[in-house]
């Protein structure tokens, strides 16, 4: 059994990356502190995995998070494709209204400039349709915004002058950085 108990920070060496297992987990499994699963691909396919993290409540294992075990075991978390609803709208205001109503209900959402992904929910989908949005079903990795107070909110000053150019930053983080720069008169 592979035991994983901590989040590993920093870059992995090529050797570490070669021995790390990959855990494909849907969103609902990436928000849990305790989890039993199996490796689904690679040379350790079928190996049992016990995840027992000592992390703050509400922590989310983001796509690419590296986990470590007391014996040196390593695992890279990947967001598994799962059933999601893609919300689009005929104009920006309608999409903004849809996002407002989802946020008001604290619905985890993955934001893009022209669409929002949410977990499928027939009640929410009917509400969004009544607002004028279109909802399509698909299978895709789901990486919702981490939330402003959940440790995922970053500022440009936290990451140097190029933070807004960080491809790993969420759209919410990029918008926040741009707003801070605009207020400070920097670009």
């Amino acid at each position: 059994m592979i035991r994983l108990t901590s989040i590993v920070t920093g870059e992995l060496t090529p050797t570490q990356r070669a021995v790390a297992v990959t855990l494909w987990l849907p969103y609902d499994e990436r928000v849990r502190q305790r989890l039993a699963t199996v490796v689904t691909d690679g040379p350790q396919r079928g190996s049992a995995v016990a995840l027992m993290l000592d992390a703050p409540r509400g922590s989310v294992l983001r796509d690419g998070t590296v986990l470590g075990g007391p014996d040196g075991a390593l695992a890279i978390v990947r967001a598994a494709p799962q059933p999601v609803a893609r919300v689009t709208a005929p104009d920006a205001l309608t999409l903004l209204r849809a996002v407002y109503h989802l946020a008001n209900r604290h619905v985890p959402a993955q934001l893009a400039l022209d669409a929002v992904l949410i977990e499928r929910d027939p009640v929410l989908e009917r509400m969004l349709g009544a607002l004028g949005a279109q909802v399509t079903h698909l299978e895709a990795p789901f990486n919702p915004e981490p939330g402003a107070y959940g440790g995922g909110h970053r500022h440009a000053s936290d990451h140097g002058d190029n933070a807004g150019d960080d491809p790993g930053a969420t759209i919410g983080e990029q918008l926040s950085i741009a707003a801070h720069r605009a207020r400070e008169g920097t670009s």
Side-chain angles (χ1 to χ4, degrees), residues 27 60 62 107-112 117 142-148 152-153 169-175:
Y27 178 70
V60 176
R62 309 298 293 170
V107 175
Q110 180 176 331
L111 306 177
L117 290 183
F142 184 55
N143 289 298
E145 289 292 312
H153 184 76
T170 66
I171 189 78
E173 291 166 340
Q174 292 173 19
L175 291 170

Side-chain angles (χ1 to χ4, degrees), residues 52-124:
M52 296 169 281
L53 282 183
D54 182 22
R57 184 178 172 96
S59 295
V60 176
L61 299 175
R62 309 298 293 170
D63 186 69
T65 298
V66 178
L67 303 173
D71 62 353
L74 294 168
I76 301 170
V77 174
R78 293 291 177 212
Q82 65 181 77
V84 293
R86 183 174 191 267
V87 182
T88 57
D91 56 72
L93 181 60
T94 303
L95 186 58
L96 186 60
R97 287 181 65 230
V99 170
Y100 170 83
H101 286 282
L102 291 170
N104 194 40
R105 289 160 177 78
H106 301 274
V107 175
Q110 180 176 331
L111 306 177
L113 292 175
D114 62 345
V116 177
L117 290 183
I118 62 171
E119 292 178 294
R120 290 186 190 167
D121 181 316
V123 173
L124 290 175

